[in-house]
């Protein structure tokens, strides 16, 4: 049948869109179906005596047509359209959603991907040469974060009490200026993607480099001394050469592709919303701190900022500020990375039951949306301990 002549079922969808203020044609419906964005009509049976057959739209097609009319403009990538619909909780076909998340994982590329059979050590040597030759770097502290750090430092100095306080700086036995450069960060990030691991030394170096004005970084020191301080914990989560790898040691992007293909859709949806919440929280925090700086007085927002700069909450802010706009594919990649991290936390809880999850309540440790999802995850599956139920503090 020509797509210029709509079937009775398609006409129902066209009329539905028109009643909601959208112009949809039979050809548009066919294009959307060819891209996996709209399900085929459901056959109903023959009319008899050569009169053809009947069909009806799938029930979810009515809502999808309205969403497609809003988002599927000319030139828009089908994967982006699918993710926009997913964001609106519209019933996009599952295989299309998973394909869009997989495509997002595939955007994470590393030089040398075209030679996947190269020995790992040789590939890292080639990566180091490539970074040195091209000047490839990673932005460690975006300009907005640097301005906020400087503004807080000025007001804190004028106020008198030092930050961080002496009792906090005393917890770092390796104080001093960070040594990791933006080129070092680029190599560490690429190596982590290729191998799915990162050494504790590299993690500590990056934590220090991403908070360069700190006179001490207790969190970085705790990471650097994990092997000595908590050997039982280290044996459970570290490789023989001291690298962090809770899951199987392999290309981290393979982990992300597996999640895109197999994670329950409700988990993808929850983590998608958590990733959106993290971005909004980070931008709101920046706005609130800047308002305090403009008023010349440090308040709750500045304290939240300063606490977070030493931990994962601060890293989330830095990551957010690196992107002025975030396309759907980047949002999907962030959601996959977050889902991977949450899965690693869950596996950690299974290896080391209890795992001091009450520390999740510590200010600045995690972005609030991530903390909430992790608390839900751990609480749901927490084993009974001697004397009661193990649950994280609220």
């Amino acid at each position: 049948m020509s797509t210029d002549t709509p079937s009775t079922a398609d006409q129902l969808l066209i009329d539905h869109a028109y009643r909601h203020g959208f112009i949809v044609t039979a050809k548009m419906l066919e294009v959307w179906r060819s891209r996996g964005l709209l399900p085929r009509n459901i056959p109903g049976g023959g009319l008899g005596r050569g009169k053809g057959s009947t069909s009806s739209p799938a029930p979810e097609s009515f809502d999808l047509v309205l969403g497609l009319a809003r988002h599927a403009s000319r030139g828009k990538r089908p994967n982006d359209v699918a993710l926009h619909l997913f964001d609106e909780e519209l019933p996009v076909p599952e295989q299309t959603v998973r394909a869009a998340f997989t495509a997002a994982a595939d955007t994470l590329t590393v030089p040398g991907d075209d030679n996947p059979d190269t020995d790992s050590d040789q590939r890292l040597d080639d990566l180091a040469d490539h970074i040195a030759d091209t000047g490839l770097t990673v932005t460690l502290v975006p300009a907005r974060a640097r301005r906020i750090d400087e503004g807080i430092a000025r007001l804190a100095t004028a106020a008198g009490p030092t930050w961080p306080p002496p009792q906090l700086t005393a917890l770092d036995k390796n104080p001093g200026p960070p040594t990791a450069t933006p080129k070092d960060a680029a190599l560490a990030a690429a190596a982590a993607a290729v191998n799915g691991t990162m050494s504790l030394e590299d993690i500590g170096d990056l934590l220090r480099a991403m908070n360069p004005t700190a006179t001490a970084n207790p969190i970085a020191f705790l990471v650097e001394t994990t092997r000595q301080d908590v050997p039982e914990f280290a044996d459970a989560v570290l490789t023989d050469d001291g690298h962090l790898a809770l899951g199987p040691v392999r290309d981290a992007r393979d982990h992300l592709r597996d999640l895109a293909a197999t994670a329950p859709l409700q988990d993808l949806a929850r983590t998608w919303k958590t990733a959106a919440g993290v971005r909004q929280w980070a931008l709101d925090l920046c706005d609130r701190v800047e308002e305090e700086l403009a008023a010349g007085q440090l308040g709750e927002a500045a304290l939240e900022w300063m606490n977070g700069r030493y931990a994962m909450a601060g890293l989330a802010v830095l990551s957010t500020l690196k992107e002025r706009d975030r396309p759907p594919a980047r949002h999907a990649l962030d959601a996959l990375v977050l889902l991977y991290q949450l899965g690693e936390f869950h596996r950690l809880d299974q290896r080391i039951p209890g795992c001091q999850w009450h520390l999740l309540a510590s200010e600045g440790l995690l972005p609030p949306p991530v903390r909430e999802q992790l608390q839900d995850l751990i609480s749901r599956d927490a084993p009974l301990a001697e004397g009661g139920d193990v649950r994280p503090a609220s």
Side-chain angles (χ1 to χ4, degrees), residues 52-183:
S53 60
T54 63
S55 64
S56 60
E60 63 268 28
S61 293
F62 291 95
D63 287 339
L64 276 172
V65 161
L66 300 182
L68 286 163
R70 287 193 301 273
H71 295 295
S73 56
R74 184 183 296 276
K76 220 163 203 185
R77 297 173 181 172
N79 285 333
D80 287 353
V81 175
L83 291 171
H84 278 302
L85 300 177
F86 183 73
D87 178 57
E88 295 182 3
E89 300 183 22
L90 291 171
V92 194
E94 179 175 336
Q95 63 182 17
T96 303
V97 173
R98 294 191 182 280
F101 273 91
T102 299
D106 290 339
T107 64
L108 188 59
T109 60
V110 175
D113 280 343
D114 51 343
N115 295 310
D117 295 330
T118 304
D119 173 79
S120 176
D121 290 338
Q122 181 61 51
R123 185 168 183 188
L124 292 182
D125 288 341
D126 293 342
L127 269 172
D129 292 340
H130 175 82
I131 289 171
D133 293 342
T134 62
L136 181 66
T137 62
V138 168
T139 300
L140 293 169
V141 185
R144 188 177 182 185
R146 189 169 59 250
R147 289 193 297 270
I148 291 175
D149 283 339
E150 292 168 352
I152 289 176
R154 283 194 300 271
L155 289 181
T157 299
T162 59
W163 180 266
Q167 58 267 36
L168 186 61
T169 59
L171 297 177
D172 185 0
K173 305 301 182 183
N174 294 325
T179 58
T181 67
K183 286 186 178 181

Side-chain angles (χ1 to χ4, degrees), residues 246-248 340 342-352:
L246 298 180
Y340 172 64
L342 291 169
E344 296 305 293
F345 277 128
H346 185 248
R347 278 186 283 275
L348 181 62
D349 185 60
Q350 292 175 323
R351 293 185 182 190
I352 307 174

